[in-house]
Amino acid sequence: MPLISAHRGGCGVDGLAARERYRRAIELGVDFVEFDVRRSLDEVMVVCHDPCTASGRAVCELEYGALAEELAGEALTLAELLEIAGGKVGLHLDLKEPGYEAAVVEAALAHCPLERLVITSEDSVVKTIKERWPRVRAGLSLGEDLHGIRPWVAAGTRLSELFPARRLRACGADFVAVHQRLAGLNVLRYCERVGIPAWVWTVDEEPDIARFMKDSRVATLITNRPDVALRVRQRGDPRASDQPTTT
């Protein structure tokens, strides 16, 4: 059955600070913890999903001290995350922006065996990573938020996601990380046909988790509810241990 990546360190418990959330996700026995990396104005690598804070200020325009004040319990640097998770679980690093691939990859590899590191991102970032570190597994993210984009541009982007052959060849991705809505339309069928692994995000409702966990075309499920996904996996595979190992 698919591996499980805990999206943003989800562990099934609300209200936890980021550090505790990631620790608990690891204790659950997930295969990967997923985290997003951006860079602050003073070039601190931070674990941050959104490009802007709640006040609307861009992460890249804030020094880390000011950013940490706004993020409060969510404040977490890449270095701190690597201390928590490095060597204990697979690292699923979602790199949000181009331009600092080297700093991020080198930091991750200093704390994590090569076989336990996976990076997902946009085309240009994946291309850079595969050219410089060909043995690092890198996946092309499909399912871009097209809100506010001109309709004809949005249509072309979505078609390139549903039929990603050209983009995959251009960037050299090892796998795709596809939004669950696109997965069922064509992407899983395409991946099965060409023999490329598919990671599906972000699946949180139990019926959907159960459906994707039973789909042999899905290599890894990315979810905010890894506790549920682990229960589903246990029910589906009586041979599974209480602590799934990372492969």
Side-chain angles (χ1 to χ4, degrees), residues 42-75:
D42 49 348
E43 299 190 350
V44 177
M45 301 300 167
V46 296
V47 176
C48 191
H49 179 270
D50 298 318
C52 298
T53 65
S55 67
R57 294 194 291 175
V59 170
C60 63
E61 296 176 357
L62 287 170
E63 292 190 349
Y64 183 68
L67 178 63
E69 286 185 8
E70 284 210 40
L71 295 178
E74 284 298 301

PDB file of all heavy atoms in Angstrom, residues 42-75:
ATOM      1  N   ASP A  42      16.626  38.139   5.457  1.00  0.00           N
ATOM      2  CA  ASP A  42      18.015  37.981   5.894  1.00  0.00           C
ATOM      3  C   ASP A  42      18.541  36.575   5.617  1.00  0.00           C
ATOM      4  O   ASP A  42      19.480  36.107   6.241  1.00  0.00           O
ATOM      5  CB  ASP A  42      18.173  38.342   7.368  1.00  0.00           C
ATOM      6  CG  ASP A  42      17.143  37.668   8.263  1.00  0.00           C
ATOM      7  OD1 ASP A  42      16.166  37.100   7.730  1.00  0.00           O
ATOM      8  OD2 ASP A  42      17.308  37.699   9.494  1.00  0.00           O
ATOM      9  N   GLU A  43      17.902  35.881   4.654  1.00  0.00           N
ATOM     10  CA  GLU A  43      18.357  34.605   4.093  1.00  0.00           C
ATOM     11  C   GLU A  43      18.338  33.451   5.093  1.00  0.00           C
ATOM     12  O   GLU A  43      19.136  32.519   5.004  1.00  0.00           O
ATOM     13  CB  GLU A  43      19.757  34.754   3.470  1.00  0.00           C
ATOM     14  CG  GLU A  43      19.778  35.767   2.335  1.00  0.00           C
ATOM     15  CD  GLU A  43      21.068  35.759   1.543  1.00  0.00           C
ATOM     16  OE1 GLU A  43      22.027  35.094   1.979  1.00  0.00           O
ATOM     17  OE2 GLU A  43      21.106  36.415   0.490  1.00  0.00           O
ATOM     18  N   VAL A  44      17.404  33.515   6.018  1.00  0.00           N
ATOM     19  CA  VAL A  44      17.153  32.371   6.883  1.00  0.00           C
ATOM     20  C   VAL A  44      16.157  31.464   6.183  1.00  0.00           C
ATOM     21  O   VAL A  44      15.109  31.923   5.712  1.00  0.00           O
ATOM     22  CB  VAL A  44      16.595  32.812   8.257  1.00  0.00           C
ATOM     23  CG1 VAL A  44      16.264  31.588   9.118  1.00  0.00           C
ATOM     24  CG2 VAL A  44      17.586  33.711   8.974  1.00  0.00           C
ATOM     25  N   MET A  45      16.482  30.173   6.082  1.00  0.00           N
ATOM     26  CA  MET A  45      15.558  29.209   5.494  1.00  0.00           C
ATOM     27  C   MET A  45      14.498  28.865   6.532  1.00  0.00           C
ATOM     28  O   MET A  45      14.818  28.405   7.631  1.00  0.00           O
ATOM     29  CB  MET A  45      16.297  27.948   5.061  1.00  0.00           C
ATOM     30  CG  MET A  45      17.393  28.195   4.047  1.00  0.00           C
ATOM     31  SD  MET A  45      16.761  28.949   2.526  1.00  0.00           S
ATOM     32  CE  MET A  45      18.308  29.463   1.770  1.00  0.00           C
ATOM     33  N   VAL A  46      13.239  29.110   6.177  1.00  0.00           N
ATOM     34  CA  VAL A  46      12.159  28.932   7.132  1.00  0.00           C
ATOM     35  C   VAL A  46      11.154  27.909   6.618  1.00  0.00           C
ATOM     36  O   VAL A  46      10.959  27.755   5.411  1.00  0.00           O
ATOM     37  CB  VAL A  46      11.437  30.272   7.421  1.00  0.00           C
ATOM     38  CG1 VAL A  46      12.394  31.247   8.078  1.00  0.00           C
ATOM     39  CG2 VAL A  46      10.859  30.885   6.147  1.00  0.00           C
ATOM     40  N   VAL A  47      10.535  27.205   7.555  1.00  0.00           N
ATOM     41  CA  VAL A  47       9.473  26.268   7.222  1.00  0.00           C
ATOM     42  C   VAL A  47       8.175  27.056   7.225  1.00  0.00           C
ATOM     43  O   VAL A  47       7.661  27.428   8.279  1.00  0.00           O
ATOM     44  CB  VAL A  47       9.428  25.114   8.235  1.00  0.00           C
ATOM     45  CG1 VAL A  47       8.245  24.183   7.942  1.00  0.00           C
ATOM     46  CG2 VAL A  47      10.740  24.336   8.200  1.00  0.00           C
ATOM     47  N   CYS A  48       7.674  27.364   6.037  1.00  0.00           N
ATOM     48  CA  CYS A  48       6.516  28.258   5.919  1.00  0.00           C
ATOM     49  C   CYS A  48       5.747  27.934   4.646  1.00  0.00           C
ATOM     50  O   CYS A  48       6.326  27.946   3.549  1.00  0.00           O
ATOM     51  CB  CYS A  48       6.982  29.712   5.913  1.00  0.00           C
ATOM     52  SG  CYS A  48       5.660  30.918   6.099  1.00  0.00           S
ATOM     53  N   HIS A  49       4.473  27.649   4.776  1.00  0.00           N
ATOM     54  CA  HIS A  49       3.659  27.234   3.635  1.00  0.00           C
ATOM     55  C   HIS A  49       3.264  28.401   2.738  1.00  0.00           C
ATOM     56  O   HIS A  49       3.397  28.335   1.512  1.00  0.00           O
ATOM     57  CB  HIS A  49       2.407  26.522   4.142  1.00  0.00           C
ATOM     58  CG  HIS A  49       1.482  26.071   3.060  1.00  0.00           C
ATOM     59  ND1 HIS A  49       0.469  26.859   2.570  1.00  0.00           N
ATOM     60  CD2 HIS A  49       1.419  24.906   2.370  1.00  0.00           C
ATOM     61  CE1 HIS A  49      -0.182  26.198   1.628  1.00  0.00           C
ATOM     62  NE2 HIS A  49       0.375  25.023   1.477  1.00  0.00           N
ATOM     63  N   ASP A  50       2.774  29.480   3.336  1.00  0.00           N
ATOM     64  CA  ASP A  50       2.207  30.579   2.561  1.00  0.00           C
ATOM     65  C   ASP A  50       3.253  31.637   2.224  1.00  0.00           C
ATOM     66  O   ASP A  50       4.186  31.863   3.002  1.00  0.00           O
ATOM     67  CB  ASP A  50       1.057  31.234   3.328  1.00  0.00           C
ATOM     68  CG  ASP A  50      -0.081  30.259   3.581  1.00  0.00           C
ATOM     69  OD1 ASP A  50      -0.404  29.492   2.653  1.00  0.00           O
ATOM     70  OD2 ASP A  50      -0.635  30.272   4.693  1.00  0.00           O
ATOM     71  N   PRO A  51       3.103  32.324   1.084  1.00  0.00           N
ATOM     72  CA  PRO A  51       4.079  33.348   0.710  1.00  0.00           C
ATOM     73  C   PRO A  51       3.999  34.600   1.573  1.00  0.00           C
ATOM     74  O   PRO A  51       4.952  35.382   1.620  1.00  0.00           O
ATOM     75  CB  PRO A  51       3.725  33.655  -0.749  1.00  0.00           C
ATOM     76  CG  PRO A  51       2.278  33.298  -0.877  1.00  0.00           C
ATOM     77  CD  PRO A  51       2.082  32.122   0.035  1.00  0.00           C
ATOM     78  N   CYS A  52       2.854  34.796   2.229  1.00  0.00           N
ATOM     79  CA  CYS A  52       2.650  35.977   3.061  1.00  0.00           C
ATOM     80  C   CYS A  52       2.176  35.570   4.453  1.00  0.00           C
ATOM     81  O   CYS A  52       1.585  34.505   4.632  1.00  0.00           O
ATOM     82  CB  CYS A  52       1.625  36.921   2.438  1.00  0.00           C
ATOM     83  SG  CYS A  52       2.110  37.589   0.819  1.00  0.00           S
ATOM     84  N   THR A  53       2.426  36.436   5.425  1.00  0.00           N
ATOM     85  CA  THR A  53       1.936  36.209   6.781  1.00  0.00           C
ATOM     86  C   THR A  53       0.466  36.615   6.864  1.00  0.00           C
ATOM     87  O   THR A  53      -0.108  37.140   5.907  1.00  0.00           O
ATOM     88  CB  THR A  53       2.753  37.029   7.788  1.00  0.00           C
ATOM     89  OG1 THR A  53       2.521  38.432   7.533  1.00  0.00           O
ATOM     90  CG2 THR A  53       4.238  36.732   7.652  1.00  0.00           C
ATOM     91  N   ALA A  54      -0.141  36.411   8.021  1.00  0.00           N
ATOM     92  CA  ALA A  54      -1.550  36.760   8.213  1.00  0.00           C
ATOM     93  C   ALA A  54      -1.791  38.253   8.038  1.00  0.00           C
ATOM     94  O   ALA A  54      -2.885  38.679   7.653  1.00  0.00           O
ATOM     95  CB  ALA A  54      -2.012  36.304   9.594  1.00  0.00           C
ATOM     96  N   SER A  55      -0.756  39.056   8.283  1.00  0.00           N
ATOM     97  CA  SER A  55      -0.888  40.509   8.126  1.00  0.00           C
ATOM     98  C   SER A  55      -0.723  40.944   6.672  1.00  0.00           C
ATOM     99  O   SER A  55      -0.877  42.128   6.358  1.00  0.00           O
ATOM    100  CB  SER A  55       0.157  41.223   8.990  1.00  0.00           C
ATOM    101  OG  SER A  55       1.467  40.975   8.502  1.00  0.00           O
ATOM    102  N   GLY A  56      -0.399  39.996   5.797  1.00  0.00           N
ATOM    103  CA  GLY A  56      -0.250  40.307   4.382  1.00  0.00           C
ATOM    104  C   GLY A  56       1.157  40.651   3.950  1.00  0.00           C
ATOM    105  O   GLY A  56       1.388  40.963   2.775  1.00  0.00           O
ATOM    106  N   ARG A  57       2.129  40.558   4.862  1.00  0.00           N
ATOM    107  CA  ARG A  57       3.513  40.875   4.498  1.00  0.00           C
ATOM    108  C   ARG A  57       4.189  39.635   3.931  1.00  0.00           C
ATOM    109  O   ARG A  57       4.033  38.523   4.446  1.00  0.00           O
ATOM    110  CB  ARG A  57       4.270  41.399   5.718  1.00  0.00           C
ATOM    111  CG  ARG A  57       3.731  42.732   6.214  1.00  0.00           C
ATOM    112  CD  ARG A  57       4.678  43.394   7.198  1.00  0.00           C
ATOM    113  NE  ARG A  57       4.740  42.676   8.462  1.00  0.00           N
ATOM    114  CZ  ARG A  57       5.566  43.012   9.445  1.00  0.00           C
ATOM    115  NH1 ARG A  57       6.405  44.029   9.290  1.00  0.00           N
ATOM    116  NH2 ARG A  57       5.549  42.332  10.570  1.00  0.00           N
ATOM    117  N   ALA A  58       4.974  39.832   2.877  1.00  0.00           N
ATOM    118  CA  ALA A  58       5.635  38.717   2.218  1.00  0.00           C
ATOM    119  C   ALA A  58       6.756  38.173   3.086  1.00  0.00           C
ATOM    120  O   ALA A  58       7.525  38.941   3.680  1.00  0.00           O
ATOM    121  CB  ALA A  58       6.184  39.162   0.866  1.00  0.00           C
ATOM    122  N   VAL A  59       6.858  36.846   3.133  1.00  0.00           N
ATOM    123  CA  VAL A  59       7.912  36.203   3.915  1.00  0.00           C
ATOM    124  C   VAL A  59       9.283  36.671   3.451  1.00  0.00           C
ATOM    125  O   VAL A  59      10.174  36.951   4.260  1.00  0.00           O
ATOM    126  CB  VAL A  59       7.791  34.664   3.799  1.00  0.00           C
ATOM    127  CG1 VAL A  59       9.008  33.979   4.407  1.00  0.00           C
ATOM    128  CG2 VAL A  59       6.507  34.183   4.465  1.00  0.00           C
ATOM    129  N   CYS A  60       9.472  36.799   2.158  1.00  0.00           N
ATOM    130  CA  CYS A  60      10.773  37.163   1.606  1.00  0.00           C
ATOM    131  C   CYS A  60      11.158  38.608   1.891  1.00  0.00           C
ATOM    132  O   CYS A  60      12.298  39.013   1.662  1.00  0.00           O
ATOM    133  CB  CYS A  60      10.809  36.905   0.097  1.00  0.00           C
ATOM    134  SG  CYS A  60       9.642  37.887  -0.852  1.00  0.00           S
ATOM    135  N   GLU A  61      10.219  39.412   2.398  1.00  0.00           N
ATOM    136  CA  GLU A  61      10.487  40.812   2.701  1.00  0.00           C
ATOM    137  C   GLU A  61      10.627  41.065   4.195  1.00  0.00           C
ATOM    138  O   GLU A  61      10.750  42.220   4.622  1.00  0.00           O
ATOM    139  CB  GLU A  61       9.374  41.694   2.117  1.00  0.00           C
ATOM    140  CG  GLU A  61       9.309  41.639   0.590  1.00  0.00           C
ATOM    141  CD  GLU A  61       8.150  42.429   0.015  1.00  0.00           C
ATOM    142  OE1 GLU A  61       7.355  42.977   0.818  1.00  0.00           O
ATOM    143  OE2 GLU A  61       8.046  42.511  -1.217  1.00  0.00           O
ATOM    144  N   LEU A  62      10.621  39.990   4.991  1.00  0.00           N
ATOM    145  CA  LEU A  62      10.738  40.115   6.443  1.00  0.00           C
ATOM    146  C   LEU A  62      12.008  39.447   6.931  1.00  0.00           C
ATOM    147  O   LEU A  62      12.347  38.353   6.486  1.00  0.00           O
ATOM    148  CB  LEU A  62       9.540  39.448   7.125  1.00  0.00           C
ATOM    149  CG  LEU A  62       8.185  40.152   7.041  1.00  0.00           C
ATOM    150  CD1 LEU A  62       7.099  39.226   7.561  1.00  0.00           C
ATOM    151  CD2 LEU A  62       8.195  41.445   7.825  1.00  0.00           C
ATOM    152  N   GLU A  63      12.722  40.110   7.845  1.00  0.00           N
ATOM    153  CA  GLU A  63      13.814  39.434   8.518  1.00  0.00           C
ATOM    154  C   GLU A  63      13.226  38.402   9.473  1.00  0.00           C
ATOM    155  O   GLU A  63      12.079  38.528   9.930  1.00  0.00           O
ATOM    156  CB  GLU A  63      14.680  40.441   9.265  1.00  0.00           C
ATOM    157  CG  GLU A  63      15.443  41.367   8.335  1.00  0.00           C
ATOM    158  CD  GLU A  63      16.472  42.200   9.057  1.00  0.00           C
ATOM    159  OE1 GLU A  63      16.471  42.219  10.315  1.00  0.00           O
ATOM    160  OE2 GLU A  63      17.290  42.842   8.371  1.00  0.00           O
ATOM    161  N   TYR A  64      14.021  37.365   9.771  1.00  0.00           N
ATOM    162  CA  TYR A  64      13.444  36.236  10.503  1.00  0.00           C
ATOM    163  C   TYR A  64      12.901  36.628  11.875  1.00  0.00           C
ATOM    164  O   TYR A  64      11.877  36.099  12.300  1.00  0.00           O
ATOM    165  CB  TYR A  64      14.449  35.104  10.659  1.00  0.00           C
ATOM    166  CG  TYR A  64      13.799  33.921  11.346  1.00  0.00           C
ATOM    167  CD1 TYR A  64      12.805  33.192  10.699  1.00  0.00           C
ATOM    168  CD2 TYR A  64      14.126  33.584  12.656  1.00  0.00           C
ATOM    169  CE1 TYR A  64      12.163  32.136  11.324  1.00  0.00           C
ATOM    170  CE2 TYR A  64      13.492  32.521  13.285  1.00  0.00           C
ATOM    171  CZ  TYR A  64      12.509  31.805  12.622  1.00  0.00           C
ATOM    172  OH  TYR A  64      11.871  30.772  13.246  1.00  0.00           O
ATOM    173  N   GLY A  65      13.530  37.548  12.558  1.00  0.00           N
ATOM    174  CA  GLY A  65      13.039  37.960  13.861  1.00  0.00           C
ATOM    175  C   GLY A  65      11.611  38.482  13.797  1.00  0.00           C
ATOM    176  O   GLY A  65      10.752  38.088  14.599  1.00  0.00           O
ATOM    177  N   ALA A  66      11.339  39.351  12.836  1.00  0.00           N
ATOM    178  CA  ALA A  66       9.991  39.889  12.661  1.00  0.00           C
ATOM    179  C   ALA A  66       9.028  38.808  12.198  1.00  0.00           C
ATOM    180  O   ALA A  66       7.873  38.759  12.626  1.00  0.00           O
ATOM    181  CB  ALA A  66      10.024  41.043  11.660  1.00  0.00           C
ATOM    182  N   LEU A  67       9.508  37.929  11.326  1.00  0.00           N
ATOM    183  CA  LEU A  67       8.668  36.836  10.841  1.00  0.00           C
ATOM    184  C   LEU A  67       8.274  35.907  11.985  1.00  0.00           C
ATOM    185  O   LEU A  67       7.110  35.502  12.098  1.00  0.00           O
ATOM    186  CB  LEU A  67       9.414  36.071   9.754  1.00  0.00           C
ATOM    187  CG  LEU A  67       8.706  34.861   9.150  1.00  0.00           C
ATOM    188  CD1 LEU A  67       7.434  35.274   8.449  1.00  0.00           C
ATOM    189  CD2 LEU A  67       9.647  34.134   8.179  1.00  0.00           C
ATOM    190  N   ALA A  68       9.229  35.578  12.842  1.00  0.00           N
ATOM    191  CA  ALA A  68       8.955  34.679  13.961  1.00  0.00           C
ATOM    192  C   ALA A  68       7.922  35.267  14.908  1.00  0.00           C
ATOM    193  O   ALA A  68       7.092  34.546  15.470  1.00  0.00           O
ATOM    194  CB  ALA A  68      10.247  34.363  14.701  1.00  0.00           C
ATOM    195  N   GLU A  69       7.962  36.583  15.094  1.00  0.00           N
ATOM    196  CA  GLU A  69       6.970  37.233  15.950  1.00  0.00           C
ATOM    197  C   GLU A  69       5.566  37.035  15.396  1.00  0.00           C
ATOM    198  O   GLU A  69       4.619  36.774  16.135  1.00  0.00           O
ATOM    199  CB  GLU A  69       7.280  38.719  16.090  1.00  0.00           C
ATOM    200  CG  GLU A  69       8.473  39.024  16.983  1.00  0.00           C
ATOM    201  CD  GLU A  69       8.665  40.506  17.174  1.00  0.00           C
ATOM    202  OE1 GLU A  69       7.783  41.284  16.739  1.00  0.00           O
ATOM    203  OE2 GLU A  69       9.687  40.904  17.756  1.00  0.00           O
ATOM    204  N   GLU A  70       5.434  37.165  14.087  1.00  0.00           N
ATOM    205  CA  GLU A  70       4.117  36.990  13.467  1.00  0.00           C
ATOM    206  C   GLU A  70       3.672  35.531  13.484  1.00  0.00           C
ATOM    207  O   GLU A  70       2.503  35.226  13.707  1.00  0.00           O
ATOM    208  CB  GLU A  70       4.135  37.502  12.027  1.00  0.00           C
ATOM    209  CG  GLU A  70       4.109  39.003  11.915  1.00  0.00           C
ATOM    210  CD  GLU A  70       3.427  39.455  10.640  1.00  0.00           C
ATOM    211  OE1 GLU A  70       2.405  38.841  10.257  1.00  0.00           O
ATOM    212  OE2 GLU A  70       3.915  40.412  10.025  1.00  0.00           O
ATOM    213  N   LEU A  71       4.607  34.626  13.230  1.00  0.00           N
ATOM    214  CA  LEU A  71       4.243  33.211  13.129  1.00  0.00           C
ATOM    215  C   LEU A  71       3.996  32.570  14.492  1.00  0.00           C
ATOM    216  O   LEU A  71       3.287  31.559  14.578  1.00  0.00           O
ATOM    217  CB  LEU A  71       5.343  32.441  12.394  1.00  0.00           C
ATOM    218  CG  LEU A  71       5.567  32.816  10.930  1.00  0.00           C
ATOM    219  CD1 LEU A  71       6.717  32.016  10.345  1.00  0.00           C
ATOM    220  CD2 LEU A  71       4.301  32.603  10.107  1.00  0.00           C
ATOM    221  N   ALA A  72       4.586  33.127  15.526  1.00  0.00           N
ATOM    222  CA  ALA A  72       4.421  32.609  16.896  1.00  0.00           C
ATOM    223  C   ALA A  72       4.755  31.117  16.942  1.00  0.00           C
ATOM    224  O   ALA A  72       5.848  30.719  16.578  1.00  0.00           O
ATOM    225  CB  ALA A  72       3.009  32.905  17.397  1.00  0.00           C
ATOM    226  N   GLY A  73       3.797  30.279  17.325  1.00  0.00           N
ATOM    227  CA  GLY A  73       4.058  28.850  17.468  1.00  0.00           C
ATOM    228  C   GLY A  73       4.383  28.138  16.172  1.00  0.00           C
ATOM    229  O   GLY A  73       4.915  27.019  16.193  1.00  0.00           O
ATOM    230  N   GLU A  74       4.083  28.765  15.055  1.00  0.00           N
ATOM    231  CA  GLU A  74       4.407  28.174  13.757  1.00  0.00           C
ATOM    232  C   GLU A  74       5.824  28.508  13.304  1.00  0.00           C
ATOM    233  O   GLU A  74       6.281  27.992  12.284  1.00  0.00           O
ATOM    234  CB  GLU A  74       3.417  28.642  12.692  1.00  0.00           C
ATOM    235  CG  GLU A  74       2.060  27.974  12.766  1.00  0.00           C
ATOM    236  CD  GLU A  74       2.169  26.466  12.548  1.00  0.00           C
ATOM    237  OE1 GLU A  74       2.647  26.043  11.488  1.00  0.00           O
ATOM    238  OE2 GLU A  74       1.786  25.718  13.461  1.00  0.00           O
ATOM    239  N   ALA A  75       6.519  29.368  14.051  1.00  0.00           N
ATOM    240  CA  ALA A  75       7.877  29.755  13.669  1.00  0.00           C
ATOM    241  C   ALA A  75       8.820  28.558  13.779  1.00  0.00           C
ATOM    242  O   ALA A  75       8.931  27.929  14.830  1.00  0.00           O
ATOM    243  CB  ALA A  75       8.362  30.896  14.554  1.00  0.00           C
TER     244      ALA A  75
END
